[in-house]
Amino acid sequence: MFATYLIGLREGLEATLVVSILVAFLVKSQRRDRLPQVWAGVGLAVALSVGFGSLIQYTSTSLLRTSESRELFEAVTSVAAVVFVTWMIFWMRRAARTIAGELRGKLTDALAVGSLAVAGMAFLAVIREGLETALIFYAAAESAAGGTGPGSLLALAGGIATAVVIGFLLYRSAVRINLSRFFTWTGALLILVAAGILKYGVHDFQEAGVLPGLNDLAFDISTTLDPGSWYGALLAGMFNVTAAPTVLELVAWVAYAVPVLVLFLRKPAQPARPMQPAQPAQPDTAVPAAAPADVAAVPSPRS
């Protein structure tokens, strides 16, 4: 459940921040007349995302007749979800500091074109997060014991609702959070979730007969890690850590989680600054300190 909540929180906050930046820019620019187009684009993106998730679920449960085809479908969606998760966390780490300026520039261009361009810009800003959420949620929920049942849907909705509340408070300037730290912690957790999804995908490939070794267990610690215990269910539900994985499952989990975590947590190299000629001493003047770049503060419409 926590894994699906985390997915809803992370993806929901990204989308909410985008919408907050767009709305705040329009309000500050005295262009409230364009807000309906923004909300229309957001609403269409949400509707298509829900439809995409429903299509995935319908394909798995109704269109695929044999258990082998269902296992293969779940395996492919699992691998696709891992690719999206990996791309998303590295993209957000790189873009967190510049996303506001880029969005404002694109919205300025869209305002010059017309209403449809504004709605299309809002739609494109949100649809990526929505489609990713639908795919990743399906893969994560299927890899957990509960599947895509009511509990998983409630956990996802709870994460999205939390993200909406945080985004609204940021918009109203009621809270300030360190986005770099937030996305680092949630990104690291999502890498472990993605490793579990990949492990589940490998297991599905084995059950579909695409990969060998279904009965070749790496180890069996069922006596120590009881699958029926609360901690066993927690580890299985969050990271798909099981007591008796196959050799290929374990290799896939380690081969993904270790290098991706190292790359993600490693601080990016700072570009070398060219040497500047010495400047003559200047009299001290009071300069107001700038807010840290990685602290979220969406302008309030009241300012």
Side-chain angles (χ1 to χ4, degrees):
M1 295 297 179
F2 180 75
T4 53
Y5 175 84
L6 180 64
I7 291 168
L9 176 62
R10 167 85 184 217
E11 295 284 350
L13 186 57
E14 288 183 26
T16 302
L17 285 175
V18 169
V19 175
S20 298
I21 291 169
L22 296 180
V23 172
F25 178 77
L26 289 176
V27 172
K28 296 280 287 185
S29 304
Q30 304 298 320
R31 298 302 303 271
R32 291 177 180 267
D33 59 307
R34 297 299 187 185
L35 287 178
Q37 286 79 38
V38 170
W39 294 120
V42 171
L44 180 59
V46 172
L48 287 180
S49 300
V50 173
F52 178 66
S54 301
L55 178 62
I56 295 177
Q57 181 68 18
Y58 178 74
T59 300
S60 175
T61 57
S62 301
L63 295 183
L64 302 177
R65 300 298 182 182
T66 64
S67 59
E68 290 80 7
S69 60
R70 285 193 291 269
E71 297 292 349
L72 185 59
F73 177 78
E74 292 177 4
V76 172
T77 54
S78 296
V79 173
V82 171
V83 172
F84 276 117
V85 168
T86 308
W87 177 83
M88 175 262 295
I89 59 178
F90 280 99
W91 176 85
M92 180 51 69
R93 188 184 68 168
R94 184 183 71 253
R97 293 175 178 269
T98 61
I99 187 172
E102 292 177 359
L103 285 173
R104 292 184 187 113
K106 292 179 181 178
L107 186 56
T108 299
D109 295 337
L111 285 170
V113 175
S115 300
L116 288 179
V118 174
M121 194 254 175
F123 170 79
L124 292 175
V126 176
I127 189 63
R128 179 181 63 85
E129 306 296 342
L131 296 181
E132 284 180 4
T133 301
L135 181 60
I136 297 169
F137 163 72
Y138 174 80
E142 286 296 325
S143 68
T148 53
S152 296
L153 288 173
L154 287 176
L156 179 72
I160 294 175
T162 304
V164 171
V165 171
I166 294 175
F168 177 76
L169 292 176
L170 287 172
Y171 173 75
R172 304 297 297 183
S173 299
V175 298
R176 295 168 67 87
I177 63 173
N178 188 313
L179 285 182
S180 292
R181 185 171 300 173
F182 172 85
F183 285 122
T184 297
W185 280 102
T186 57
L189 287 175
L190 278 180
I191 288 172
L192 296 179
V193 171
I197 294 174
L198 179 62
K199 173 177 173 287
Y200 178 79
V202 169
H203 183 80
D204 278 339
F205 275 127
Q206 290 177 314
E207 290 194 337
V210 176
L211 293 177
L214 180 60
N215 297 317
D216 297 333
L217 299 183
F219 52 80
D220 188 347
I221 55 172
S222 301
T223 56
T224 303
L225 182 62
D226 182 10
S229 63
W230 66 268
Y231 54 88
L234 181 65
L235 289 174
M238 287 179 60
F239 309 122
N240 199 26
V241 174
T242 55
T246 66
V247 174
L248 279 180
E249 288 179 56
L250 181 63
V251 169
W253 198 98
V254 175
Y256 173 84
V258 174
V260 174
L261 268 176
V262 171
L263 290 173
F264 180 72
L265 296 177
R266 185 180 63 181
K267 292 183 178 180
Q270 298 293 332
R273 294 183 178 179
M275 295 184 63
Q276 300 291 337
Q279 299 291 331
Q282 300 290 336
D284 292 338
T285 57
V287 179
D294 56 356
V295 176
V298 180
S300 170
R302 297 173 295 180
S303 59

